[in-house]
Amino acid sequence: MTPYDAMLAPFVEFAFMRRALVGAVALSLGAAPIGVFLMLRRMSLTGDAMAHAILPGAAVGFLVAGLSLPAMTLGGLVAGVSVALLTGLVARTTLLKEDAALAAFYLLSLALGVTLVSLKGSNVDLLHVLFGSVLALDDQALTLLAGVSTVTLVALALIYRPLVLECVDPGFLASVSRSGGLAHFVFLGLVVLNLVAGFQALGTLLAVGVMMLPAATARFWAASLGGLFAVAIGTAVAASIAGLLLSYHLGTPTGPTVILAAGVFYLASLVFGRHGGALSRLAPPRRHRAA
């Protein structure tokens, strides 16, 4: 097999592969920066919980209109925002901490969503909702993914300063500005929006993977915030391309293969990463090395 047959031919010869590539790249551009901020704000597991929280809404949309993109998107968005608001309400009005409240809602959401889909759909429908269908993206889905990525990048640019300050020193931000609370809720809205968009391509159980694994990988290669964004986006795009090609040649499920490719980049970075990788930590300090 020539390099052309292995890497270029699938995208040149098949329109569904080109659509999948465009969708995956659009998702990477929006989701990877969100993942970086989740990691810096120590909210990595929040993304995973919110990915499950959108499932009941998507399931209700499925029950009402079948595999309809607008219905399932709207349902997932409403469910995700509702869980975020309920979590904050419980944390502020009871003794339960926010992480515990979010974990409870995420478990309830996952169970309720699977049950609702099972009431009307088949096992194939359930697999579609849980794991997505990146090779079946149509013009409507691509428009949604591109629109969400555009909104995400513009919104992040607008709330960039308070988000960064809240990561570094939330007490200082609270003392000099009241924008922290607004930025936090806008950011949570962007998390939900990107998870709903990712759900169309990778399903609810895998959407958070393209958000968090590239961000975690970037932490081992970049020290600046701009570097983290660049490496995270690059890793997400590279994992998408590798996953699509491996899925095409090996016949494996596309969504899980994309996430596995991102996982390989992460595991390699654990060992070889310049900033905190295993080998760099085992190496002697620079001042002790021989000239």
Side-chain angles (χ1 to χ4, degrees), residues 11 13 45 67 82 99 109 112 121 123 132 156 180 190 217 224 227 232-233 253 258:
F11 299 114
E13 297 175 8
L45 291 178
L67 291 172
S82 299
D99 59 338
S109 299
L112 179 60
N123 289 336
L156 285 179
L190 292 176
T217 299
S224 66
I233 292 173
V258 169

Side-chain angles (χ1 to χ4, degrees), residues 24-274:
V25 170
L27 181 62
S28 300
L29 290 174
I34 292 291
V36 170
F37 275 117
L38 283 172
M39 178 183 66
L40 294 177
R41 293 158 66 93
R42 295 178 175 85
M43 295 173 62
S44 299
L45 291 178
T46 299
D48 184 53
M50 294 305 299
H52 295 79
I54 69 175
L55 184 55
V60 170
F62 170 76
L63 289 176
V64 172
L67 291 172
S68 166
L69 176 62
M72 296 177 71
T73 299
L74 179 60
L77 189 60
V78 171
V81 172
S82 299
V83 168
L85 294 176
L86 285 172
T87 299
L89 180 64
V90 169
R92 285 164 175 77
T93 58
T94 71
L95 294 176
L96 204 61
K97 298 297 184 181
E98 190 171 31
D99 59 338
L102 187 60
F105 281 121
Y106 125 69
L107 291 171
L108 288 171
S109 299
L110 179 60
L112 179 60
V114 172
T115 302
L116 288 174
V117 175
S118 301
L119 288 177
K120 179 180 177 181
S122 64
N123 289 336
V124 174
D125 295 326
L126 182 60
L127 288 175
H128 173 87
V129 172
L130 294 178
F131 299 108
S133 55
V134 68
L135 294 182
L137 296 177
D138 56 14
D139 290 344
Q140 197 175 34
L142 291 179
T143 301
L144 173 68
L145 289 168
V148 167
S149 292
T150 302
V151 169
T152 298
L153 293 176
V154 171
L156 285 179
L158 293 175
I159 62 173
Y160 180 80
R161 293 175 68 87
L163 275 182
V164 173
L165 280 175
E166 194 171 27
C167 293
V168 177
D169 192 344
F172 173 75
L173 177 62
S175 68
V176 299
S177 173
R178 296 181 179 179
S179 62
L182 176 61
H184 178 72
F185 282 108
V186 171
F187 177 71
L188 287 180
L190 292 176
V191 172
V192 173
L193 195 61
N194 278 270
L195 288 173
V196 170
F199 149 77
Q200 306 300 335
L202 300 174
T204 56
L205 296 185
L206 296 176
V208 72
V210 77
M211 185 179 288
M212 294 312 309
L213 284 171
T217 299
R219 185 64 184 83
F220 292 102
W221 296 102
S224 66
L225 196 53
L228 288 173
F229 290 146
V231 175
I233 292 173
T235 301
V237 171
S240 298
I241 295 172
L244 287 170
L245 290 173
L246 288 171
S247 173
Y248 174 82
H249 291 297
L250 301 178
T252 54
T254 308
T257 305
V258 169
I259 303 305
L260 284 174
V264 169
F265 286 126
Y266 169 70
L267 293 175
S269 300
L270 283 177
V271 179
F272 301 105
R274 293 175 54 194

Side-chain angles (χ1 to χ4, degrees), residues 273-276 279-291:
R274 293 175 54 194
H275 300 284
L279 292 183
S280 69
R281 293 177 70 88
L282 290 174
R286 187 176 298 274
R287 63 178 180 275
H288 291 158
R289 296 177 186 172

